[in-house]
Amino acid sequence: KNEVEQSPQNLTAQEGEFITINCSYSVGISALHWLQQHPGGGIVSLFMLSSGKKKHGRLIATINIQEKHSSLHITASHPRDSAVYICTVRGGSNYKLTFGKGTLLTVNP
Amino acid sequence: NAGVMQNPRHLVRRRGQEARLRCSPMKGHSHVYWYRQLPEEGLKFMVYLQKENIIDESGMPKERFSAEFPKEGPSILRIQQVVRGDSAAYFCASSPSGGFTGELFFGEGSRLTVL
């Protein structure tokens, strides 16, 4: 079992819909990151969380440390949001990031 | 301030050839990390380097793979005698000090295809 589990693996939405991607982890962590990767593209860091909630534009990320769970929400989704969203956690070692397998989001116009 | 620069972006090699992937960290960053993303798999840690030192190579395959980060120039990930299973995207990340205490900075990746 992967230490970081994401759901769903694939998600298709219509433009304007509210999107939620979930991440559960089984290890103790110092921080959790949400990353975005466009097909064939590089990786961009969206959020770093160690507690609570963060918002940036239409993106909102939350984390519940006790439940070892984080969610990434996208409000008013747009086709340009189509990408793979990756959850990664930092545990005892700050450089050995543990990654989820990613959620492929497709937003149709 | 340029980000993490990786080249080549795409590399095609035949089985048995050598692949060299380069990573220039962000300005002011002296720590480099290499990760591999196999098709349909998540990213996996390979190696952590500081200038002239390998700090942790526990994620590197025992044979054919090596990495260096010389005093001058980019970090190099070298794969000798490539096999089809080495086909993957290789990502480099950098940080100003040991470990990621804040935002993560990744390169665009180098996509290796072994024919």
Side-chain angles (χ1 to χ4, degrees):
Chain A
K1 186 178 186 292
N2 201 25
E3 290 178 330
V4 179
E5 296 281 348
Q6 286 186 236
S7 63
Q9 282 188 302
N10 294 282
L11 180 57
T12 300
Q14 287 300 123
E15 183 172 357
E17 285 185 2
F18 181 83
I19 304 291
T20 295
I21 299 170
N22 296 298
C23 175
S24 296
Y25 52 92
S26 56
V27 296
I29 68 168
S30 57
L32 179 145
H33 298 259
W34 281 102
L35 311 174
Q36 181 191 56
Q37 183 180 22
H38 281 99
I43 296 171
V44 174
S45 176
L46 298 174
F47 292 105
M48 182 187 77
L49 295 159
S50 51
S51 64
K53 175 180 174 179
K54 286 192 177 179
K55 184 176 190 293
H56 184 244
R58 294 181 295 105
L59 302 178
I60 303 166
T62 63
I63 187 168
N64 185 318
I65 296 291
Q66 286 73 31
E67 294 186 5
K68 292 189 165 71
H69 181 268
S70 175
S71 292
L72 176 68
H73 306 284
I74 305 175
T75 60
S77 59
H78 191 275
R80 65 174 174 266
D81 297 327
S82 298
V84 175
Y85 292 84
I86 302 169
C87 172
T88 182
V89 300
R90 281 195 265 132
S93 162
N94 266 344
Y95 56 85
K96 268 190 188 175
L97 304 171
T98 304
F99 297 84
K101 289 189 177 181
T103 294
L104 175 59
L105 170 65
T106 304
V107 182
N108 294 317
Chain B
N1 186 16
V4 179
M5 305 297 291
Q6 288 189 249
N7 68 83
R9 292 287 311 278
H10 300 275
L11 183 63
V12 179
R13 285 286 179 265
R14 297 193 179 279
R15 280 180 297 171
Q17 291 184 320
E18 179 179 288
R20 283 188 181 227
L21 310 176
R22 289 175 289 278
C23 169
S24 296
M26 283 188 71
K27 188 176 179 182
H29 289 194
S30 58
H31 299 250
V32 163
Y33 318 83
W34 285 93
Y35 296 88
R36 178 165 67 172
Q37 186 178 41
L38 290 165
E40 310 301 322
E41 298 276 334
L43 287 140
K44 296 277 195 304
F45 167 80
M46 297 184 77
V47 62
Y48 164 35
L49 309 109
Q50 291 178 28
K51 284 282 186 182
E52 300 185 278
N53 285 307
I54 298 174
I55 306 303
D56 184 340
E57 56 182 349
S58 59
M60 291 271 274
K62 293 285 185 281
E63 296 175 349
R64 302 185 299 106
F65 284 71
S66 62
E68 63 176 13
F69 190 13
K71 189 176 178 182
E72 302 291 337
S75 174
I76 308 280
L77 179 67
R78 182 181 177 206
I79 311 172
Q80 295 178 286
Q81 299 174 330
V82 296
V83 300
R84 289 221 174 101
D86 297 333
S87 295
Y90 293 83
F91 286 93
C92 168
S94 73
S95 71
S97 59
F100 296 109
T101 56
E103 192 176 344
L104 302 178
F105 298 97
F106 285 88
E108 293 279 311
S110 290
R111 282 153 180 86
L112 172 66
T113 301
V114 180
L115 301 177

